[in-house]
Amino acid sequence: MKLPDTVYVENILEPYLKDFIFERFRDVVEIQDAVSKDDWKRVKNLGHRILGSSGSYGFVDMGTFGKIIEDIAECKDKETVLHLAGLMEYHLKNVNIVFVAEDDT
């Protein structure tokens, strides 16, 4: 599983993107914390939150990761959830963001 190297974001969202990225980093930390405490309801809710917010900013594949985390929380698969959280963190640190006009997305 891999997240894309480049994400295209509508330029109208540029002022809000820093907060979006910050919140996703916080989600990664919260997922790791919740897994360490076997709080699978919280993991599921965090996955759902990632799913719901990511597509709006052009991070569609990250939203898919959120959905997978949400689903895997039902199985309580620590290794997979932590792996996905790590991939999300790596993606957030390394993604190339290209701002585009609204009509170009």
Side-chain angles (χ1 to χ4, degrees), residues 6-17:
T6 302
V7 173
Y8 299 90
V9 178
E10 292 179 10
N11 56 13
I12 195 168
L13 297 173
E14 186 172 2
Y16 311 103
L17 192 63

Side-chain angles (χ1 to χ4, degrees), residues 31-70:
I31 286 169
Q32 294 164 337
D33 181 63
V35 167
S36 75
K37 296 175 180 171
D38 286 325
D39 186 349
W40 293 101
K41 180 178 180 182
R42 187 167 152 219
V43 172
K44 183 176 181 172
N45 289 339
L46 288 162
H48 186 76
R49 180 166 67 192
I50 293 164
L51 169 63
S53 63
S54 296
S56 300
Y57 285 87
F59 286 73
V60 176
D61 293 319
M62 184 177 292
T64 301
F65 271 47
K67 174 64 175 152
I68 294 168
I69 289 170
E70 181 180 19

Side-chain angles (χ1 to χ4, degrees), residues 78-95:
K78 288 183 181 187
E79 184 177 325
T80 302
V81 168
L82 291 175
H83 177 70
L84 291 171
L87 289 174
M88 287 175 45
E89 180 178 31
Y90 178 84
H91 176 65
L92 290 166
K93 289 179 180 176
N94 295 287
V95 67

Side-chain angles (χ1 to χ4, degrees), residues 12-30:
I12 195 168
L13 297 173
E14 186 172 2
Y16 311 103
L17 192 63
K18 185 176 180 180
D19 289 338
F20 168 78
I21 298 289
F22 176 80
E23 289 299 321
R24 298 303 67 83
F25 273 118
R26 186 162 42 191
D27 288 342
V28 168
V29 171
E30 286 189 42

